[in-house]
Amino acid sequence: MPAVQRSELPEHQFVEVALPLPMRQTFTYELPPGYRKMISCGARVLVPFGSRTLTGYAVALSPDLPAEASIERENIKRVTEVIDETPLLTAEILELTKWAADYYSASWGEMLKASLPSGINSATERIISITEKGRSILLRTTNLKPLPARLLHRLAESGNMRQDELEKEHDAAAVKRVIRTLAREGSIVVAHRSVAGKVKPKFRKAVRLLANSSGIDGERPLTIPQQAVLNTLTENSGEMLFTELAESSSSGASVINTLVRRGVVEITKKEIVRDPFSSESLLAIVELELNSDQQKVLSGVVSALDAGEYKAFLLHGVTGSGKTEIYIRAMRAALDNGKTALMLVPEIALTPIFSQRLRAVFGSEVAILHSNLSAGERFDEWRRIRDGRARIAIGTRSAVFAPLSNLGLVIVDEEHDASYRQQESPFYNGRDVAVMSANQTGAVVVLGSATPALETYFNAQNGKYTYLSLAARVGGRPMAEAQLIDMREVFRTAGKDVSISPILADAIRETHTRGEQSIILLNRRGFSSFVLCRSCGESLRCRNCDITLTYHKFDRRLTCHYCGYSVEVPKLCPFCESEYLYFIGEGTEQLEQKLRSGFEDIRIARVDRDSMSRRGEMSRTLNAFDRGEIDMLIGTQMLAKGHDFHNVTLVGIISVDTGLGLPDFRSAERTFQLITQAAGRAGRGELQGRVMIQTYYPDHYALKFAGLQDYDGFYAEEIKFRNRMAYPPFVVLASIMIKHADESYARRNADTLKSALTASNIDNSCRILGVAPASLAKLKGEYRFQILIKSTNRHRMRDLINIGTARAEASGCDPRTVFVEIDPLNLM
């Protein structure tokens, strides 16, 4: 992105700043004269806020105090520093984040911070300096308390110090108290200094051939090693990294340094772009021929691209129907039209697979964005997108804010997936933000799924989205044959609970005997779900959350999967000191152990967040499975999405009933989607696939329709339930969570907010439910109370929330305890 010349910019005296705080308003600051012609919207600024100095984002500029500013001119604070001469945030990202903040009743500043790669935002440090008054006190006062005396002596010796350094030398809390006192007395001054974000461009030492290097002929001749260095440089366009030059020319550093002294070459710095693809071998490009259904779908998308106007498609394609090939060709059409393209995928696990495929087709035009990259890689990929060096971005949820210019195509694969929902502030749904991004930029958006979200399918049925269908697998391959295994019968026969039914065990052996592969899905991590004392009946629970601890055998620890709290397994019950601790429930770790002992000749790997925590482990495991080096994968829902293994002919789904029992109106939909997606991993090659679903509820409509791979049948049944119970898509829904470490304080705030909302609901256009304890009444050390709001009118619901929360705050409700989530996917 070219730097903006200061002389080209108009002079602005005031700037509106969005701060990354849970506050919806922006704040007006005055610009010092030196910054008035160098700032643009989208730049980061350092501003005072209360006793702190924060990094905010310039969202509006004005030569005069804005008429709507609710502050007197003389009370306006000044910007401390403008961090960016060239703004990081584009006009498109400012517009998109503003919409997202308004739509989700979130903080614009927090949304802007979320749009930037981690590590890029500046921080500040407090610099403590002694004043002349402080030095005088040191000389004249003999009765100073020990800590103030020590601090003043240290500052007198060094001139100034960072506050965090002083806090390391002494008790941090005591240092903070003394600094406040000394600052009030005028003995010290506290200044704030901006610190660049942790992530910066990476530079390495390079060697460049000087233009006048030929003028050395009259001097003493070059040695053979020196000539080798020059020859190597000449062959490589006159510039190379120092280490590469030394290695390629078989010369040492001393030879290169001699040439520097002779004026033949110079030492420079060269930026190194950290490439997340560097350790991966590119896939071979295989040009596939589209079938007639694919051609029809692609033609519809390309026609919309050629028209250059916003249009939204739902691509409803069964698993294995060739959606990925449609995506790739649509991207090529977008690039041919001079546009850029964005592709979102729900899981990090899928990103390497898609990105390798795209990199093989489009080369360095592709950039990848997800949280498993190092901070440096993410920063460099983001800059390649912003600077226009990469015209295709692929990534998970936050990649929706990639700074692509001239956006032409947005693809959201597995659009139904709950992973697109940000589950902490600022709340947003990456899929819905992607649709709005396309709408604002006049791009085409394609939402793809074999099991569309009910709301998405409803929108397609009502004409909001154009419906495209791929109803058959590529090459006429049949869908996997599904079988529901009634575990009630298995229990009656065996007289106990079993993990693997005899019929599934036989299928595993048969599959392996034929040289084919299998996938076993159990959507629960760990070894045992919880630990129960058989003497007193107590279970071992997290101290921070209202949840039992999961036992992980590999490190013999009990872990909370919500907050990360972890303890060693006690030898005795902490409640009654009994030794009769009973491990109940089964996770992927225990299932892996049982399968390894029951099928010793089968090579097995486990895929879940515990086993795949090391960087690159997921890609290595999936690639090994694809090469046939692993016979069976055991894992959680990470295995159910998007993978294309042609030798997998058996998928077994264990304990599918757990999801049906969750206190959420979407539990049936999620269960149907999980089973259908998992079943889609079988039979994607030339061989017939089969899926076996173990259940205690074989008559549940979600399981029956999933077994039949019948989306329309499930939709018809589920939409009746949603309509009857007044759930989305027939109403809009908001969840307001009130959280605090003090239970009574949280409850008081919740009651105050409920009263304010009720009083604001004058026309009764919204239905207000609660206050009630959340399904997880305590989480991460905070007690949680929930209010639900239903309405048939989104604007009225949003107005009610805005008016009600403002009225509640005026009545004493602490806004820091209130978290509003619009269109929640999880009511727990």
Side-chain angles (χ1 to χ4, degrees):
M1 180 181 292
V4 178
Q5 297 297 319
R6 293 191 188 188
S7 58
E8 299 173 3
L9 294 169
E11 185 171 297
H12 294 290
Q13 189 175 355
F14 297 96
V15 57
E16 205 70 18
V17 178
L19 293 173
L21 299 170
M23 308 171 76
R24 297 197 60 196
Q25 71 266 41
T26 56
F27 299 89
T28 303
Y29 288 88
E30 184 181 6
L31 284 161
Y35 288 130
R36 291 177 184 175
K37 292 197 69 172
M38 69 167 286
I39 188 171
S40 301
C41 285
R44 294 171 300 162
V45 292
L46 209 61
V47 295
F49 188 81
S51 61
R52 296 179 289 171
T53 299
L54 301 176
T55 300
Y57 309 94
V59 296
L61 299 166
S62 175
D64 300 304
L65 185 65
E68 64 274 13
S70 59
I71 187 170
E72 297 297 328
R73 192 183 190 99
E74 59 270 17
N75 295 327
I76 292 180
K77 295 181 179 180
R78 277 193 166 194
V79 167
T80 303
E81 182 180 344
V82 174
I83 298 171
D84 307 310
E85 290 190 40
T86 302
L88 292 182
L89 295 156
T90 64
E92 292 82 4
I93 297 302
L94 286 173
E95 183 183 11
L96 183 61
T97 51
K98 180 66 167 65
W99 173 87
D102 288 343
Y103 184 89
Y104 292 106
S105 295
S107 157
W108 191 5
E110 287 187 324
M111 201 70 74
L112 285 166
K113 183 177 181 180
S115 74
L116 292 170
S118 58
I120 197 172
N121 287 291
S122 286
T124 59
E125 57 188 13
R126 291 161 64 91
I127 305 300
I128 315 299
S129 305
I130 190 169
T131 64
E132 287 303 318
K133 181 178 179 180
R135 293 181 188 276
S136 176
I137 289 174
L138 264 183
L139 292 173
R140 298 176 184 174
T141 306
T142 57
N143 61 345
L144 276 176
K145 292 182 180 179
L147 184 54
R150 285 198 296 270
L151 291 185
L152 288 174
H153 276 296
R154 290 285 283 117
L155 293 170
E157 293 169 0
S158 59
N160 60 58
M161 288 186 70
R162 297 204 316 267
Q163 181 170 325
D164 61 337
E165 292 177 332
L166 293 170
E167 289 175 2
K168 288 177 184 176
E169 296 178 2
H170 308 282
D171 177 69
V175 166
K176 289 175 181 174
R177 287 195 299 270
V178 170
I179 285 175
R180 284 196 295 269
T181 301
L182 293 176
R184 281 197 301 269
E185 295 172 352
S187 301
I188 61 172
V189 291
V190 181
H192 294 85
R193 184 169 67 192
S194 62
V195 183
K198 294 181 248 181
V199 183
K200 300 177 183 177
K202 182 180 180 181
F203 292 92
R204 287 178 59 188
K205 189 161 70 170
V207 183
R208 181 188 298 149
L209 188 63
L210 291 173
N212 62 351
S213 59
S214 56
I216 62 171
D217 294 344
E219 303 177 8
R220 63 182 184 277
L222 295 174
T223 64
I224 293 175
Q226 290 170 352
Q227 189 62 56
V229 169
L230 287 189
N231 292 343
T232 304
L233 270 175
T234 303
E235 292 166 3
N236 288 274
S237 304
E239 186 174 12
M240 292 181 69
L241 293 176
F242 193 103
T243 53
E244 291 179 359
L245 175 59
E247 184 177 344
S248 299
S249 62
S250 302
S251 304
S254 60
V255 176
I256 299 174
N257 290 329
T258 300
L259 289 173
V260 172
R261 289 194 295 272
R262 295 186 65 178
V264 180
V265 300
E266 66 175 351
I267 302 296
T268 63
K269 284 184 178 181
K270 184 175 182 179
E271 184 180 349
I272 304 299
V273 177
R274 290 155 283 209
D275 185 3
F277 296 95
S278 59
S279 61
E280 299 174 358
S281 56
L282 291 181
L283 301 175
I285 301 176
V286 179
E287 191 70 27
L288 301 174
E289 185 174 344
L290 299 185
N291 60 33
S292 59
D293 289 341
Q294 289 174 303
Q295 286 282 9
K296 183 179 179 181
V297 167
L298 181 63
S299 295
V301 176
V302 171
S303 295
L305 284 168
D306 291 340
E309 297 177 353
Y310 166 74
K311 191 165 187 179
F313 294 95
L314 167 59
L315 175 51
H316 185 187
V318 299
T319 54
S321 59
K323 294 187 291 294
T324 303
E325 194 63 30
I326 302 291
Y327 300 155
I328 290 173
R329 300 198 186 204
M331 288 180 189
R332 184 177 290 145
L335 265 59
D336 289 345
N337 283 340
K339 303 281 189 175
T340 59
L342 168 68
M343 181 174 182
L344 298 183
V345 294
E347 289 275 2
I348 290 171
L350 300 181
T351 316
I353 299 168
F354 280 118
S355 57
Q356 287 178 53
R357 181 96 177 267
L358 292 179
R359 193 68 179 262
V361 176
F362 298 107
S364 61
E365 293 269 31
V366 178
I368 181 173
L369 293 171
H370 62 69
S371 59
N372 261 20
L373 301 182
S374 70
E377 287 173 340
R378 189 176 173 86
F379 177 59
D380 285 352
E381 291 291 273
W382 180 85
R383 283 196 307 139
R384 288 205 308 119
I385 297 167
R386 188 196 63 177
D387 297 344
R389 289 175 284 157
R391 295 197 295 154
I392 295 174
I394 177 173
T396 47
R397 178 179 60 239
S398 61
V400 73
F401 298 115
L404 289 160
S405 60
N406 203 18
L407 186 64
L409 176 68
V410 179
I411 295 168
V412 185
D413 191 39
E414 310 291 2
E415 64 82 27
H416 66 276
D417 200 282
S419 300
Y420 286 122
R421 182 75 195 198
Q422 170 90 350
Q423 295 293 351
E424 57 187 26
S425 184
F427 298 102
Y428 67 90
N429 189 311
R431 175 200 63 201
D432 297 340
V433 176
V435 173
M436 180 51 63
S437 177
N439 184 293
Q440 291 179 345
T441 56
V444 173
V445 59
V446 179
L447 308 176
S449 177
T451 55
L454 248 76
E455 291 88 341
T456 304
Y457 194 77
F458 183 82
N459 285 335
Q461 295 291 300
N462 288 280
K464 186 175 180 181
Y465 301 152
T466 300
Y467 184 75
L468 300 172
S469 176
L470 293 173
R473 282 184 162 179
V474 171
R477 296 167 187 153
M479 300 297 291
E481 295 177 352
Q483 181 177 357
L484 291 174
I485 301 172
D486 189 341
M487 295 302 287
R488 297 172 301 181
E489 293 295 331
V490 174
F491 180 83
R492 278 193 282 268
T493 302
K496 61 178 181 179
D497 283 322
V498 296
S499 303
I500 303 293
S501 61
I503 189 170
L504 178 56
D506 290 342
I508 291 172
R509 292 190 187 93
E510 293 168 8
T511 301
H512 181 62
T513 300
R514 294 194 300 267
E516 297 160 12
Q517 294 168 298
S518 55
I519 292 175
I520 306 297
L521 180 74
L522 172 59
N523 200 25
R524 192 164 54 235
R525 293 158 50 202
F527 191 87
S528 294
S529 303
F530 64 99
V531 181
L532 179 74
C533 175
R534 287 186 288 184
S535 291
C536 68
E538 292 283 355
S539 58
L540 305 188
R541 307 179 75 83
C542 176
R543 69 180 184 186
N544 304 316
C545 307
D546 185 25
I547 196 76
T548 55
L549 294 170
T550 301
Y551 172 51
H552 291 258
K553 189 175 182 180
F554 77 96
D555 61 357
R556 287 200 55 79
R557 296 189 71 81
L558 296 170
T559 301
C560 175
H561 289 167
Y562 285 88
C563 73
Y565 171 71
S566 179
V567 293
E568 291 185 2
V569 179
K571 293 179 180 177
L572 300 175
C573 172
F575 300 99
C576 70
E577 298 188 349
S578 164
E579 61 183 12
Y580 300 110
L581 293 177
Y582 186 42
F583 294 81
I584 299 176
E586 183 177 54
T588 48
E589 190 182 6
Q590 184 177 161
L591 181 63
E592 177 190 19
Q593 178 177 298
K594 290 180 178 180
L595 286 168
R596 285 187 184 279
S597 61
F599 304 94
E600 295 181 355
D601 56 334
I602 295 181
R603 296 168 296 178
I604 296 173
R606 175 164 53 94
V607 175
D608 56 28
R609 296 197 185 282
D610 300 317
S611 61
M612 299 289 114
S613 57
R614 285 170 44 197
R615 185 178 174 188
E617 189 66 27
M618 171 68 82
S619 295
R620 288 190 289 271
T621 301
L622 296 182
N623 287 334
F625 186 65
D626 194 36
R627 293 191 299 267
E629 297 166 10
I630 298 170
D631 303 314
M632 176 190 289
L633 290 180
I634 302 164
T636 56
Q637 62 179 350
M638 298 168 74
L639 286 178
K641 305 170 185 178
H643 306 298
D644 188 19
F645 303 118
H646 284 209
N647 195 39
V648 171
T649 58
L650 174 65
V651 170
I653 304 176
I654 311 297
S655 190
V656 73
D657 307 322
T658 306
L660 290 173
L662 295 176
D664 195 316
F665 71 91
R666 286 192 172 92
S667 59
E669 181 184 10
R670 289 203 184 102
T671 301
F672 173 83
Q673 289 168 341
L674 179 63
I675 294 172
T676 305
Q677 292 286 337
R681 302 314 108 206
R684 298 175 72 92
E686 300 301 323
L687 303 171
Q688 172 67 49
R690 54 180 171 165
V691 56
M692 294 184 167
I693 305 160
Q694 295 187 171
T695 176
Y696 284 92
Y697 302 102
D699 297 324
H700 195 287
Y701 67 92
L703 304 186
K704 289 200 294 186
F705 285 121
L708 295 171
Q709 304 272 295
D710 182 0
Y711 180 87
D712 288 335
F714 171 76
Y715 176 83
E717 192 72 26
E718 181 71 6
I719 205 73
K720 287 188 292 186
F721 160 71
R722 299 284 185 91
N723 193 12
R724 186 170 63 250
M725 300 302 295
Y727 281 123
F730 299 101
V731 299
V732 288
L733 190 65
S735 169
I736 304 180
M737 198 73 72
I738 300 89
K739 303 186 288 187
H740 198 267
D742 184 324
E743 184 177 11
S744 60
Y745 186 72
R747 180 76 205 209
R748 283 199 307 274
N749 280 284
D751 290 339
T752 302
L753 178 57
K754 170 66 180 291
S755 298
L757 289 168
T758 302
S760 304
N761 191 25
I762 299 172
D763 59 0
N764 291 317
S765 59
C766 300
R767 187 180 176 196
I768 305 170
L769 306 173
V771 175
S775 298
L776 292 173
K778 186 182 180 185
L779 196 64
K780 298 180 181 179
E782 294 182 314
Y783 293 92
R784 308 161 81 237
F785 294 91
Q786 189 175 39
I787 299 171
L788 292 178
I789 302 177
K790 289 182 177 181
S791 179
T792 56
N793 188 301
R794 184 177 295 279
H795 294 294
R796 288 182 181 173
M797 183 182 76
R798 193 178 305 159
D799 288 344
L800 172 66
I801 291 172
N802 292 340
I803 295 168
T805 51
R807 179 177 284 181
E809 187 174 348
S811 299
C813 176
D814 184 350
R816 295 171 298 179
T817 67
V818 178
F819 297 84
V820 178
E821 189 173 359
I822 306 296
D823 301 336
L825 291 187
N826 189 338
L827 296 182
M828 297 174 66

